[in-house]
Amino acid sequence: MVQSPAFDGCSYPESKLLEIFYDNSPMMMGIVELVKNEDFVTIRFLSHNAATADFFNLPGQSITGKELYELGLDRQVSRDIISYYEQCEQNRSTLSFEYLVSTEVNQTYLLVTLDFLGVGEQGYSNFSYLVRDITELKQAEFQRLESERRNRELQLIEPIFEIILAGYWDWNIQENTEYLSPGFKKMFGYEDSELENHPDVWQNLMVPDDLPGALEAIGNHLKNPTTVPFYHEVRYRHKTGATLWVICSGKVIEWDEWGNPVRMIGCHVDITNQKEAELSLRQINRELETFLENAPILISLFDTEGRYLKINPAFEKTINKPQSELIGKSFYCLFPNKIADIFKERLYEINKTLKPLRIEDEICIDGVLQNFKTILFPVIENKKITKFWAISENCTEQKQKAIALQKSEERYRTIIETTLEGVWIIDIEAKTEFVNDRMAKMLGYLPSEMIGHPLVEFVALEEQESIRKQIRNRCKGIGEQNIYRFHHKDSHDVWVIVSTTPLQDREGNYQGCIGLLTNITEMIEIQDALRLSKLQLGGVLNSSLDGIMAFNSIRDAEGRIIDFEYIIANPASYTITGKTVEELVGQRLLEVMPGYWEDGLFDYYVHVVESGEPGTREFYYNHEGIDFCFENIVVKLGDGLAVTFRDITPIKNSQLTLEKTNQELQERLQDLRERHSEMQILSQISDFLQACLTVKEACQVVATFMTSLFPNCAGGIFQTNDSGNLLENVAQWGDKFYSKPKFSQKDCWGLRRGRPHLTDEHQEGLRCSHVCDLPKGATTYCIPMVAQGETLGLFYLMVPPGCNLGNSKRQLAQTVAEQLGLAIANLNLRHTLQEQSIHDALTGLYNRRYFENILELELERASLNDGCLSLIMLDVDHFKRFNDTYGHDVGDHVLQSIGQCLKTHVHCCDCVCRYGGEELVVILPDRPLTRARAIAEQLRQAIAQLNLYCNNQFLGQLTASFGVASFPKNGSTRASLLKAADEALYQAKAGGRNQVVLATGNLTSG
């Protein structure tokens, strides 16, 4: 025997070496034959090596002559292997393929090489096989692909975490290495390059007191990763030294072959603001409870029937009854029926308005009348009042003091405003705090020009030291009266008599002083003038800025005063009244000015003369061409009277201006309150929108809040349909919003122009076509809801006649529309992604993942209800022929057509899914096996009747084989039911195809 050169120097012949290699090779090798009968196809082993027997768990045994089905392989695995041998037989060439064999213990990847050897003695095709275990190579490839997938995920996740102000980390537990995302480091004030990626980094940043708890939480999760989550709140130190509160969460996602954790990922979220708010709220609650216990005011909580639920100590003390006698008792038991009925009416008013109510009451408690100021406000739960809070203040003493103070102030103001004396109040630093008009005019100033200036600024230089001395005496509590020379604004001297009184607090400390200043300049001048001539009296009268008149009484025969005669009138009185000397002096009052009788001034003058009591009055006179407000001082003069009066119209106008300014200020404050309330409601809307699951739900949420944001207004939210041409109403508020519930985009100017569209009664020609039967004077506002360049709907607002939609409200409406548009866009995106995740991209049927989930749910439902469920599994007959003959595009068309046929012939409650390849499944809830068989037969006939064409070419008749199984008869679990249906399908295939076979037996395990 001649040896091959390759075996030179070897003691064994080539055939022997090949035999040794064959018997000891770790690769499976051997020869089989493909046995084809009328009913089925199988593989029979003709020869094999030891590795083949080991693979079938038969070490040291011979499997020669055994068929594939006798070696314990799953029927589906056997069918797959046989299909490859059939393909090799058809092509009569070498065929290599990879195959995954799964057992309860592990998964093995095999590389199989088949060679067609020819037809054997039995008339069956013979094949050689060579099988190599490539599991390690596959696992390495899977690890590489998984690593690439994780890197892609990190690239997607990190920007998301940056947006939500969170940090991402990835910890290799066995190697103790950790990836910290740039967002993680940025959260604590560091750049990516400033911190290395290592577990020690975050441990060093954490507040030391919190580290043991965090490590314990991680350890607990590593011990029980499936049952103990890792979710922990800790504190970290920011680069600036500040403390940050952070929520740490993570999860083990990889284990080694012994079940030990290998990889854990998680994120850190900054909750500092939330934590600070939580701590602040707790402090506020503690302070509130302390306030209730120690507040001097009366606080009580009672139900809608008036029964007291809670009272504070001040309430007990005032009512003079212990809490045990009050809790649970109605206010009818505490107060007289009249008072209780008034309370009941007030509660009814609050129930009607849902607004707090401020009241003042006088209540008799233990025989003593007491005054209370009370605010009642409702507690609203689920849009219904369940309780009431009452906060009351015993204002009896304040009321009495206020009455006394009011009387005192009225007297004081009367004195200050009507006196002809100047009033000057200085503070402890001798600066002016107050001067009355008389004082200011005395020196030629306005009161505002004197406030805040030292007293000595208005005194002659040579008098300043003397007045400082007098102020020092006032500090000692000494009151004096002196004459000083003041400077008038126009630089002339004003002589005054100053009478001062020190002002002291309760402890007797000096706080300033008040002075009464009498202008005696005229008196001095008169005294000088009297020495020269009595004629200068007229000059004194002429210099007065006030009108001065003197009257004699005119009496009838019975002594009653019937009129007054002018005897003196100064020029100021002529100017003020618009009369001349001839028209006044010597004339009767009622003849010259009859309006005195109509306004009651004549009777007032008579009273002064008869009683001798001087009087001061402010009045408005609008007669005889005179239109002024006057301040009038009247004193008795013999059998007549002297009247000093001045025009105070400017002062009254200033008061009116001040009142108007105060009113405007109140209106602006109210506007600010409204803006604050609107911002709070917008925040609530944002919170609810983030929690919504559907577009309709989001629209209903927004509509619920609109009555608060736009009182008295109506409106609606319209959503664009799938075609993008029509809008349909999905939510509305108000009684009637005067719009069609469904209309085209061209019917709305706002949608056509892509901007908000406001129309009032002056722009009827620009009113949108979808608005109908609108009341006259109403306003409409259409705002397109746009997100990411796409028009998603319309926010429509109707403002009724008599109401105004200001700029702030329009901006508010646009803000709501923008928020809702973004929310709808997010919900649409979420719905699209969800639909894509559960449907097969080729056929549009549900995919295998959805099938497995829904089958579990339906089985659970059927088990709980003692019901039934059937499962149809079908496989397209000779599908490989379509792929080989016409190509994969035609095969895809065949699968799509069959999928559409199945959906057409089943009920809406049934579920059609693509299980894999050309295998399809149909879940039939509440259908027994007999009914399921009939449905399967209908489906088989429907498929057989399909006439499919592709590229104008008839594809031939399609048939399918069906296996039917039922719960609980053929299986109680998903796996057992699938296996029963699969075996029935195999029997249908083996039995000649294009038929329906029912599962037999009861398989209870998966």
Side-chain angles (χ1 to χ4, degrees):
M1 180 179 180
V2 181
Q3 293 183 334
S4 171
F7 294 91
D8 287 345
C10 180
S11 60
Y12 293 99
E14 179 180 353
S15 59
K16 183 63 176 179
L17 289 175
L18 291 175
E19 181 180 351
I20 294 172
F21 174 74
Y22 178 77
D23 291 335
N24 296 280
S25 173
M27 296 184 292
M28 292 180 280
M29 293 183 286
I31 298 174
V32 297
E33 61 180 359
L34 182 63
V35 180
K36 291 185 177 182
N37 295 323
E38 294 182 358
D39 296 333
F40 64 96
V41 180
T42 186
I43 293 173
R44 182 183 298 127
F45 285 86
L46 301 180
S47 66
H48 63 88
N49 66 346
T52 303
D54 292 341
F55 176 78
F56 290 106
N57 295 320
L58 299 171
Q61 300 181 33
S62 172
I63 60 175
T64 300
K66 292 185 179 292
E67 295 182 358
L68 193 60
Y69 295 115
E70 300 179 61
L71 300 178
L73 287 182
D74 183 80
R75 289 187 177 275
Q76 181 61 42
V77 174
S78 299
R79 287 200 299 271
D80 291 342
I81 294 174
I82 291 171
S83 67
Y84 285 113
Y85 276 92
E86 289 178 331
Q87 184 178 349
C88 183
E89 179 187 36
Q90 181 179 0
N91 297 333
R92 297 182 180 268
S93 61
T94 301
L95 175 65
S96 293
F97 61 91
E98 294 180 3
Y99 198 80
L100 172 63
V101 179
S102 299
T103 65
E104 295 181 355
V105 179
N106 56 22
Q107 291 183 328
T108 304
Y109 287 90
L110 303 176
L111 177 61
V112 182
T113 301
L114 305 180
D115 274 321
F116 178 74
L117 302 178
V119 178
E121 297 177 355
Q122 301 296 326
Y124 300 130
S125 297
N126 290 351
F127 303 86
S128 67
Y129 65 86
L130 176 64
V131 182
R132 183 160 62 97
D133 187 345
I134 58 170
T135 303
E136 293 183 359
L137 294 176
K138 275 293 184 181
Q139 290 177 344
E141 176 66 14
F142 289 155
Q143 290 176 357
R144 181 185 66 80
L145 294 175
E146 180 67 14
S147 176
E148 292 177 356
R149 182 186 63 81
R150 291 171 184 166
N151 290 334
R152 289 194 300 271
E153 289 177 353
L154 285 176
Q155 293 174 357
L156 294 174
I157 290 174
E158 288 185 5
I160 296 174
F161 276 100
E162 286 192 16
I163 293 173
I164 63 174
L165 302 179
Y168 169 82
W169 47 268
D170 190 336
W171 179 26
N172 188 319
I173 300 172
Q174 294 185 344
E175 298 178 3
N176 197 30
T177 60
E178 188 166 11
Y179 169 75
L180 304 176
S181 71
F184 179 97
K185 301 172 184 177
K186 186 177 181 181
M187 185 187 306
F188 305 115
Y190 295 93
E191 297 296 331
D192 189 23
S193 58
E194 292 185 81
L195 296 177
E196 63 175 327
N197 291 325
H198 195 275
D200 292 343
V201 171
W202 62 263
Q203 295 183 24
N204 294 332
L205 290 175
M206 189 178 294
V207 173
D209 292 343
D210 293 356
L211 183 58
L215 295 176
E216 181 182 358
I218 293 174
N220 292 336
H221 177 68
L222 293 177
K223 293 176 183 178
N224 300 283
T226 58
T227 59
V228 180
F230 172 54
Y231 188 87
H232 200 63
E233 291 186 7
V234 295
R235 293 168 295 169
Y236 276 84
R237 293 295 184 194
H238 194 271
K239 184 178 181 180
T240 60
T243 300
L244 299 182
W245 279 93
V246 175
I247 287 181
C248 309
S249 60
K251 183 177 181 181
V252 173
I253 64 170
E254 286 186 14
W255 292 262
D256 60 16
E257 56 185 329
W258 299 282
N260 298 317
V262 173
R263 182 185 178 204
M264 181 175 176
I265 64 172
C267 69
H268 281 31
V269 181
D270 185 354
I271 60 166
T272 304
N273 293 337
Q274 173 186 342
K275 202 69 177 179
E276 291 176 351
E278 179 182 334
L279 295 174
S280 176
L281 180 60
R282 291 178 182 173
Q283 179 64 24
I284 291 173
N285 288 336
R286 288 194 295 269
E287 293 174 355
L288 179 59
E289 192 64 31
T290 303
F291 168 75
L292 290 175
E293 292 297 323
N294 299 279
I297 58 178
L298 286 67
I299 303 176
S300 61
L301 176 68
F302 50 90
D303 62 18
T304 55
E305 300 298 326
R307 291 186 292 267
Y308 285 96
L309 305 176
K310 185 173 184 179
I311 60 174
N312 72 332
F315 191 97
E316 291 182 90
K317 182 177 179 181
T318 302
I319 301 300
N320 198 22
K321 290 186 179 181
Q323 190 178 76
S324 59
E325 295 183 14
L326 296 175
I327 298 300
K329 300 292 182 61
S330 170
F331 48 65
Y332 279 104
C333 302
L334 300 178
F335 304 107
N337 290 340
K338 183 178 180 180
I339 299 297
D341 289 339
I342 293 175
F343 261 78
K344 191 172 183 180
E345 292 176 2
R346 290 167 177 166
L347 297 185
Y348 174 77
E349 181 178 349
I350 296 175
N351 270 298
K352 184 170 63 176
T353 63
L354 300 180
K355 294 181 179 179
L357 183 65
R358 296 178 182 272
I359 53 176
E360 288 191 19
D361 288 303
E362 188 176 63
I363 302 175
C364 183
I365 300 177
D366 296 335
V368 179
L369 284 176
Q370 300 189 48
N371 296 91
F372 294 91
K373 291 181 179 179
T374 304
I375 177 171
L376 298 171
F377 56 91
V379 178
I380 301 175
E381 298 176 358
N382 296 325
K383 301 182 180 180
K384 183 179 179 181
I385 295 178
T386 57
K387 295 183 279 291
F388 296 90
W389 280 101
I391 301 177
S392 304
E393 178 185 7
N394 191 332
C395 59
T396 305
E397 184 177 353
Q398 297 177 2
K399 194 79 172 180
Q400 294 171 350
K401 289 181 179 180
I403 294 173
L405 179 61
Q406 183 179 1
K407 292 179 180 179
S408 175
E409 287 181 348
E410 288 176 355
R411 289 193 297 270
Y412 174 74
R413 184 170 295 278
T414 301
I415 293 172
I416 294 296
E417 297 298 335
T418 62
T419 183
L420 297 178
E421 309 294 333
V423 179
W424 198 322
I425 300 177
I426 60 174
D427 60 15
I428 194 171
E429 296 178 355
K431 293 183 179 180
T432 304
E433 279 191 348
F434 171 81
V435 291
N436 65 349
D437 288 341
R438 181 67 178 176
M439 185 67 253
K441 290 180 179 179
M442 192 184 298
L443 299 181
Y445 294 93
L446 295 174
S448 59
E449 294 178 312
M450 301 178 67
I451 301 300
H453 291 275
L455 173 64
V456 294
E457 285 188 7
F458 304 94
V459 181
L461 183 62
E462 56 272 19
E463 302 276 0
Q464 291 182 1
E465 184 57 37
S466 174
I467 204 164
R468 288 193 182 96
K469 179 179 178 181
Q470 185 178 1
I471 292 173
R472 288 194 293 272
N473 291 337
R474 299 300 173 273
C475 294
K476 299 175 182 178
I478 302 174
E480 295 179 347
Q481 187 179 74
N482 301 89
I483 298 176
Y484 292 103
R485 181 162 54 90
F486 282 74
H487 276 313
H488 195 275
K489 186 176 182 179
D490 61 8
S491 301
H492 72 264
D493 294 334
V494 178
W495 289 91
V496 296
I497 296 177
V498 182
S499 299
T500 57
T501 301
L503 299 175
Q504 298 175 337
D505 59 18
R506 293 182 179 180
E507 288 76 25
N509 298 318
Y510 175 75
Q511 300 296 316
C513 64
I514 181 171
L516 294 179
L517 291 81
T518 304
N519 188 349
I520 61 172
T521 303
E522 292 182 5
M523 183 182 69
I524 291 176
E525 291 175 352
I526 290 173
Q527 289 175 349
D528 293 341
L530 285 175
R531 286 191 294 267
L532 299 174
S533 175
K534 291 183 180 180
L535 296 177
Q536 295 185 359
L537 176 59
V540 173
L541 295 175
N542 295 340
S543 65
S544 175
L545 298 176
D546 298 333
I548 302 174
M549 296 179 177
F551 300 90
N552 276 333
S553 301
I554 300 176
R555 298 177 181 269
D556 60 9
E558 296 177 356
R560 292 191 299 268
I561 299 176
I562 58 175
D563 207 341
F564 292 98
E565 178 186 5
Y566 289 96
I567 58 174
I568 296 177
N570 70 339
S573 64
Y574 303 145
T575 303
I576 295 173
T577 61
K579 306 294 183 180
T580 63
V581 177
E582 293 77 11
E583 290 175 323
L584 292 180
V585 177
Q587 305 299 322
R588 290 192 174 192
L589 172 64
L590 294 180
E591 293 177 355
V592 176
M593 307 183 78
Y596 268 62
W597 179 269
E598 297 178 18
D599 292 347
L601 292 173
F602 176 77
D603 293 335
Y604 170 61
Y605 284 3
V606 170
H607 173 74
V608 172
V609 175
E610 297 293 350
S611 66
E613 298 177 357
T616 301
R617 175 177 288 189
E618 290 183 2
F619 61 92
Y620 172 62
Y621 194 85
N622 187 15
H623 302 281
E624 298 85 41
I626 302 174
D627 185 10
F628 295 110
C629 291
F630 291 102
E631 181 184 42
N632 193 328
I633 302 173
V634 183
V635 295
K636 183 177 181 181
L637 183 63
D639 189 25
L641 48 84
V643 179
T644 303
F645 62 95
R646 66 186 63 171
D647 179 10
I648 59 171
T649 304
I651 297 175
K652 288 296 182 182
N653 291 338
S654 297
Q655 291 177 347
L656 293 175
T657 301
L658 180 59
E659 292 175 358
K660 182 178 179 181
T661 302
N662 287 337
Q663 179 64 29
E664 292 176 352
L665 180 59
Q666 291 296 326
E667 292 174 355
R668 291 179 182 177
L669 288 175
Q670 181 61 30
D671 185 62
L672 288 176
R673 294 189 187 100
E674 291 178 1
R675 299 290 83 75
H676 177 67
S677 176
E678 291 170 355
M679 293 302 295
Q680 288 181 319
I681 294 175
L682 285 177
S683 177
Q684 286 182 289
I685 291 174
S686 179
D687 290 342
F688 275 102
L689 287 179
Q690 292 179 17
C692 288
L693 299 178
T694 64
V695 172
K696 184 175 181 180
E697 188 178 51
C699 294
Q700 292 293 345
V701 164
V702 173
T704 301
F705 285 97
M706 290 305 98
T707 53
S708 300
L709 289 179
F710 304 99
N712 304 320
C713 296
I717 299 172
F718 296 82
Q719 183 182 2
T720 305
N721 66 355
D722 294 337
S723 66
N725 296 323
L726 294 178
L727 288 96
E728 298 180 0
N729 179 250
V730 291
Q732 66 180 73
W733 61 92
D735 295 334
K736 186 175 181 181
F737 68 131
Y738 301 99
S739 174
K740 299 176 183 177
K742 186 175 182 180
F743 56 88
S744 172
Q745 281 198 9
K746 65 182 181 180
D747 291 334
C748 179
W749 283 107
L751 293 173
R752 289 163 65 180
R753 300 169 65 220
R755 66 183 65 179
H757 182 65
L758 178 71
T759 309
D760 56 23
E761 60 180 336
H762 304 296
Q763 299 171 314
E764 288 294 337
L766 297 178
R767 190 81 68 186
C768 294
S769 299
H770 64 88
V771 178
C772 54
D773 301 327
L774 192 68
K776 185 177 181 180
T779 300
T780 59
Y781 195 33
C782 298
I783 307 173
M785 296 188 299
V786 181
Q788 300 175 353
E790 179 184 1
T791 300
L792 303 173
L794 179 71
F795 181 88
Y796 165 74
L797 193 64
M798 192 285 296
V799 184
C803 296
N804 180 36
L805 190 67
N807 291 333
S808 61
K809 286 294 184 182
R810 292 199 295 270
Q811 183 60 43
L812 178 63
Q814 294 179 27
T815 301
V816 172
E818 290 174 2
Q819 280 191 343
L820 182 56
L822 289 175
I824 291 174
N826 290 336
L827 289 171
N828 288 340
L829 177 59
R830 183 192 304 171
H831 176 74
T832 300
L833 294 176
Q834 183 178 8
E835 286 298 311
Q836 291 176 351
S837 68
I838 64 174
H839 283 85
D840 175 54
L842 175 62
T843 63
L845 301 176
Y846 290 113
N847 57 22
R848 182 168 182 171
R849 179 173 61 181
Y850 179 81
F851 161 72
E852 291 174 347
N853 293 336
I854 199 66
L855 182 57
E856 287 285 2
L857 292 176
E858 290 296 340
L859 285 172
E860 183 177 356
R861 184 175 69 85
S863 177
L864 292 174
N865 298 330
D866 293 329
C868 61
L869 178 146
S870 293
L871 180 67
I872 298 175
M873 177 175 286
L874 64 144
D875 184 90
V876 181
D877 295 334
H878 305 296
F879 180 71
K880 182 177 179 298
R881 184 185 67 190
F882 286 95
N883 278 337
D884 295 341
T885 304
Y886 302 106
H888 290 285
D889 291 343
V890 173
D892 292 346
H893 177 64
V894 169
L895 289 176
Q896 292 169 347
S897 300
I898 292 178
Q900 184 60 39
C901 177
L902 293 178
K903 289 195 293 184
T904 303
H905 287 82
V906 298
H907 291 172
C908 59
C909 60
D910 301 331
C911 180
V912 182
C913 308
R914 185 182 182 189
Y915 189 67
E918 67 272 19
E919 286 189 329
L920 306 173
V921 289
V922 182
I923 302 174
L924 303 174
D926 302 319
R927 304 292 211 299
L929 188 62
T930 55
R931 178 60 183 148
R933 178 178 183 177
I935 294 174
E937 181 61 28
Q938 292 174 4
L939 296 177
R940 185 192 66 77
Q941 295 176 9
I943 293 174
Q945 294 173 3
L946 289 176
N947 292 319
L948 298 183
Y949 291 84
C950 185
N951 297 324
N952 297 322
Q953 183 178 6
F954 179 63
L955 302 181
Q957 182 182 20
L958 288 175
T959 62
S961 300
F962 290 76
V964 184
S966 178
F967 167 88
K969 180 177 181 180
N970 304 120
S972 58
T973 64
R974 174 171 62 86
S976 61
L977 194 61
L978 272 171
K979 186 174 182 180
D982 182 59
E983 290 182 350
L985 173 60
Y986 179 77
Q987 291 175 16
K989 286 286 190 180
R993 297 183 173 84
N994 191 21
Q995 58 181 291
V996 176
V997 175
L998 301 183
T1000 59
N1002 186 354
L1003 302 176
T1004 59
S1005 64

